[in-house]
Amino acid sequence: MLCRRDGPFCHDDPECRRLRQKWLNSHFPPVGSNRRRLLVCGGLTCGAAGSFSLPEIFQEAIKKAGLEEQVTVTLVGCLGLCEEGPLALVMPEGILYCRLKPEDVPAVVEEHLKGGKPVERLLFRDEAGKVYPLLSEIPFYRKQQRVVLERCGYINPEDIAEYIAAGGYRALTSVLFSLSPEEVIEEIKKSGLRGRGGAGFPTGKKWEAARRVPSSKRYVICNADEGDPGAFMDRALLEGDPHAVIEGMIICGYAIGSDEGYVYVRAEYPLAVKRLRIAIEQAYAAGLLGENILGSGFTFHLHINEGAGAFVCGESTALMASIEGNRGIPRIKVPRSTEKGLFGKPTVLNNVETFANVPLIILRGSQWFANIGTKGSKGTKIFALSGKVKHTGLVEVPMGTTLKELIFDIGGGIKGGKRFKALQIGGPSGGCIPEDMLDLPIDYESLTGAGAMMGSGSVVVMDEDNCMVNTARFFLSFTERESCGKCTPCREGTKQMLNILERITRGEGSPSDLSLLEFLGQVVKATSFCGLGTSAPNPVLTTLRFFRSEYLQHVMEKRCAAGECVALRRFVILVDKCIGCGACAYVCPVKAIKGEKKKPHHIDEKVCVKCGRCFEICRFQAVKRL
């Protein structure tokens, strides 16, 4: 049984509840307690900024201050506000420290942990200078509803005891000892949970379809092959709360009658793979994976399959081909994977976020989940917010939240006071949404109607300095390069569309290219073999739809107002503003700028390589980009 007297495991026995509470109080001190936990963000973004070394430095300083009995230091998962990392959270007060460096550690220990006064210079502050000591008060967090991410950043992802103490694996015990497989599937169906990896297919229906197929063997697969540029939701979940995904997969296995599962994760996520391996080993050791789980008679084994990084392997059938040891290319989806999937057996494939929702639905009920979100899109959605927004990071909001709320209320608006132009949602196969559609609610149907898609949840924000033609070229170059080449429309169509876009950005396009782009995009969308091909034209088609004036400017005026298309750039020095300081001439790599000291300079356009260094360096706005 899960109930043990020698550890922080809990079932229904009063003594177990008492032991669990004692363990909780020691690891998660209540408000008013003289004990504290210092939670250092161990997400990859904060880690790259130096957070991985902070726990040891903190522990040394705490020992020196004689606070070992009062303060414990824990490396946790992503706390979300990546822009301000490295982050550290002091509990139970909820004080968040930002941009921590090793030299800041003594001040935090002496002034706050020992002296009781937070270090103000290390607290979050907005552009107006207002200081927010508490994490819960920071606008970035205040408007979120962290459901799937509720443990991420608060528990040690490499310690199964902390996950269990925070309620982990209670859903599994409830399922194994209280619910039949059919009842589990019905609960998931009633919740309205839809797949969080792209198309949004109803999860319960998928599970039901797999269970109905007569077979002695079935498989469960977690798609963690997160290949979208700008996406890091799945990585953050696996790094910060891997047991939630494992528990969801075991429950799925029980529901569909499967005894074996695979997590397909890209090898470029070494930290996620490491923590997932540790979590699986600990689950086996605790009797939560393997033969006869918790004495229930149910068996489930879990494996990790590391992908080589091919974007097409995010497509379900290509992913399964890769696990089988074959080349990762899609196959026709009749029969469906729920009928004939991995190794020819019925298979359920969901992504990381979908599986992480499952234990919560079982514990809190389908009605609780269904009450969050909109009529057709239930629950919350995690987004990776990046680009020209002030507060980048990991965000979780209820379905139905508007794009404006996501970008301006949570993200803080556009950096540098620039004007918002567009956002790309759903990865390279998503669409570009303009400013006049910011009131669009985030749900599957609304985004699809706008020519975009929910996708896995990456959101890239662009400002007035981004060229939408070049943006379409960038995303299409990715999907064209990642095409597996199996079908002609995707292989050849995306190549021809990319050639046209490159021609336009070089100033060699013609008005007829725009109608040709639209025609090719519709053909590729309608006739490609898999989802990668059918969605690849989305960035081009949506930018043509919403930003056609920029395309016309490129082909008619041979001009790029944003200045991103190098071939269409032109720089001139304004005589009435130039003071002859020579800064532009000094940084010019080809010595194209001439002029005497303290007299107006000029640019030799025959020599100029249009790099833009003069435009960037001038403090007097004397260099104008045409």
Side-chain angles (χ1 to χ4, degrees):
M1 294 293 288
L2 189 58
C3 176
R4 298 184 178 185
R5 293 291 186 271
D6 58 348
F9 302 90
C10 165
H11 198 46
D12 290 331
D13 184 78
E15 176 64 9
C16 276
R17 287 200 297 270
R18 187 188 68 79
L19 290 172
R20 179 174 181 266
Q21 191 59 53
K22 182 179 177 182
W23 191 91
L24 275 170
N25 289 340
S26 67
H27 284 72
F28 302 92
V31 176
S33 168
N34 63 350
R35 288 187 54 80
R36 288 190 175 102
R37 287 190 90 207
L38 182 68
L39 309 175
V40 179
C41 181
L44 198 57
T45 307
C46 281
S51 74
F52 291 149
S53 64
L54 289 177
E56 185 177 348
I57 298 172
F58 265 114
Q59 285 166 348
E60 289 176 3
I62 288 167
K63 184 178 180 180
K64 186 177 179 181
L67 299 174
E68 302 103 308
E69 297 299 317
Q70 287 78 42
V71 183
T72 57
V73 182
T74 306
L75 190 68
V76 295
C78 180
L79 279 163
L81 190 52
C82 303
E83 182 79 12
E84 296 292 323
L87 303 170
L89 181 65
V90 180
M91 295 297 286
E93 301 104 304
I95 303 291
L96 182 70
Y97 287 113
C98 304
R99 301 182 185 273
L100 276 174
K101 298 181 178 64
E103 53 266 32
D104 297 322
V105 169
V108 174
V109 173
E110 291 296 327
E111 294 178 32
H112 184 180
L113 300 181
K114 192 172 184 178
K117 184 181 179 182
V119 184
E120 186 172 315
R121 66 180 175 83
L122 298 173
L123 301 175
F124 178 86
R125 65 181 67 227
D126 60 20
E127 286 193 328
K130 182 179 178 181
V131 176
Y132 294 85
L134 300 179
L135 177 146
S136 59
E137 295 177 346
I138 298 173
F140 177 83
Y141 294 102
R142 197 170 60 232
K143 291 214 170 184
Q144 293 188 49
Q145 185 174 351
R146 294 170 82 84
V147 174
V148 178
L149 294 176
E150 66 180 1
R151 283 181 297 260
C152 196
Y154 291 87
I155 64 171
N156 181 355
E158 297 183 14
D159 186 353
I160 191 173
E162 293 205 8
Y163 177 73
I164 292 172
Y169 289 111
R170 286 175 60 199
L172 177 61
T173 58
S174 175
V175 162
L176 294 180
F177 298 106
S178 305
L179 298 174
S180 68
E182 292 77 14
E183 287 173 323
V184 174
I185 291 173
E186 188 60 30
E187 193 71 3
I188 300 299
K189 285 172 64 178
K190 286 193 297 183
S191 73
L193 175 65
R194 296 171 67 172
R196 297 301 197 248
F201 189 83
T203 304
K205 288 185 177 181
K206 182 184 286 189
W207 291 16
E208 185 177 55
R211 181 166 181 83
R212 284 179 175 175
V213 177
S215 179
S216 59
K217 183 76 175 181
R218 297 180 183 86
Y219 291 99
V220 175
I221 300 176
C222 176
N223 183 353
D225 189 64
E226 189 177 52
D228 298 0
F232 51 89
M233 304 77 59
D234 292 352
R235 171 175 63 77
L237 262 176
L238 289 176
E239 289 174 358
D241 198 8
H243 284 285
V245 181
I246 294 171
E247 185 176 9
M249 292 186 70
I250 301 170
I251 291 171
C252 177
Y254 173 78
I256 71 168
S258 167
D259 64 355
E260 193 169 5
Y262 288 84
V263 181
Y264 189 92
V265 57
R266 51 184 41 235
E268 293 95 328
Y269 284 178
L271 183 60
V273 172
K274 173 195 169 187
R275 290 180 177 168
L276 187 60
R277 288 194 191 282
I278 291 171
I280 290 174
E281 289 170 4
Q282 290 177 342
Y284 269 106
L288 296 161
L289 276 173
E291 302 290 327
N292 191 23
I293 295 174
L294 305 179
S296 66
F298 173 65
T299 293
F300 192 79
H301 294 279
L302 191 57
H303 316 284
I304 296 175
N305 192 293
E306 295 184 51
F311 182 66
V312 73
C313 284
E315 196 276 338
S316 59
T317 59
L319 184 154
M320 284 183 263
S322 178
I323 292 176
E324 292 169 349
N326 300 316
R327 181 185 171 194
I329 56 174
R331 63 164 175 79
I332 195 166
K333 288 191 176 179
V334 179
R336 294 283 180 181
S337 298
T338 51
E339 300 167 344
K340 190 176 181 182
L342 185 65
F343 301 116
K345 301 298 181 182
T347 302
V348 163
L349 185 147
N350 287 122
N351 88 323
V352 171
E353 187 180 349
T354 310
F355 280 123
N357 269 290
V358 170
L360 296 169
I361 292 171
I362 298 298
L363 271 182
R364 301 177 187 177
S366 57
Q367 191 57 52
W368 162 81
F369 187 84
N371 286 338
I372 305 171
T374 67
K375 183 179 179 180
S377 301
K378 306 295 186 183
T380 60
K381 180 72 187 79
I382 302 174
F383 290 96
L385 190 58
S386 63
K388 304 286 187 71
V389 66
K390 290 176 185 174
H391 303 142
T392 60
L394 200 65
V395 176
E396 184 175 4
V397 293
M399 293 283 196
T401 301
T402 66
L403 294 170
K404 181 181 288 185
E405 290 173 310
L406 180 65
I407 304 304
F408 290 91
D409 293 346
I410 295 173
I414 309 304
K415 286 181 178 178
K418 299 278 188 176
R419 182 177 61 84
F420 173 89
K421 179 181 274 188
L423 63 85
Q424 169 82 0
I425 186 167
S429 302
C432 294
I433 306 296
E435 185 176 17
D436 60 6
M437 296 182 72
L438 280 176
D439 288 323
L440 198 71
I442 298 171
D443 61 61
Y444 294 100
E445 286 71 29
S446 296
L447 292 175
T448 301
M453 60 189 294
M454 185 80 72
S456 57
S458 63
V459 176
V460 182
V461 180
M462 291 165 274
D463 67 12
E464 59 192 76
D465 293 332
N466 288 106
C467 169
M468 300 314 296
V469 181
N470 191 53
T471 296
R473 182 205 60 78
F474 170 78
F475 283 115
L476 189 67
S477 67
F478 177 85
T479 48
E480 183 270 338
R481 184 174 64 250
E482 292 293 335
S483 172
C484 73
K486 180 174 183 176
C487 73
T488 303
C490 179
R491 183 185 68 243
E492 301 298 331
T494 55
K495 179 66 176 176
Q496 293 309 314
M497 291 177 71
L498 182 60
N499 287 341
I500 295 170
L501 285 171
E502 289 178 338
R503 207 161 60 229
I504 292 173
T505 56
R506 290 197 304 266
E508 301 167 4
S510 65
S512 62
D513 284 334
L514 306 190
S515 56
L516 181 55
L517 265 178
E518 287 179 311
F519 172 75
L520 281 172
Q522 295 296 348
V523 169
V524 172
K525 195 173 182 70
T527 59
S528 289
F529 192 76
C530 78
L532 185 150
T534 58
S535 59
N538 284 345
V540 180
L541 295 176
T542 52
T543 50
L544 278 167
R545 176 181 169 186
F546 299 123
F547 301 94
R548 197 175 193 88
S549 60
E550 290 198 29
Y551 281 87
L552 291 171
Q553 186 184 71
H554 281 64
V555 299
M556 301 292 287
E557 302 174 29
K558 308 300 180 187
R559 187 168 70 91
C560 174
E564 275 197 341
C565 300
V566 176
L568 300 182
R569 281 176 174 174
R570 186 175 167 233
F571 297 96
V572 296
I573 294 177
L574 303 177
V575 176
D576 59 328
K577 291 188 176 182
C578 180
I579 65 168
C581 68
C584 56
Y586 181 78
V587 298
C588 180
V590 292
K591 307 303 178 185
I593 300 176
K594 310 293 182 183
E596 297 181 25
K597 191 174 182 180
K598 296 187 178 180
K599 291 185 178 180
H601 287 41
H602 70 277
I603 299 174
D604 186 343
E605 294 192 45
K606 292 181 180 179
V607 180
C608 178
V609 293
K610 306 175 182 181
C611 68
R613 287 291 291 124
C614 56
F615 180 78
E616 295 167 358
I617 200 71
C618 183
R619 295 185 291 114
F620 306 99
Q621 289 79 51
V623 181
K624 184 177 181 180
R625 185 176 62 202
L626 301 177

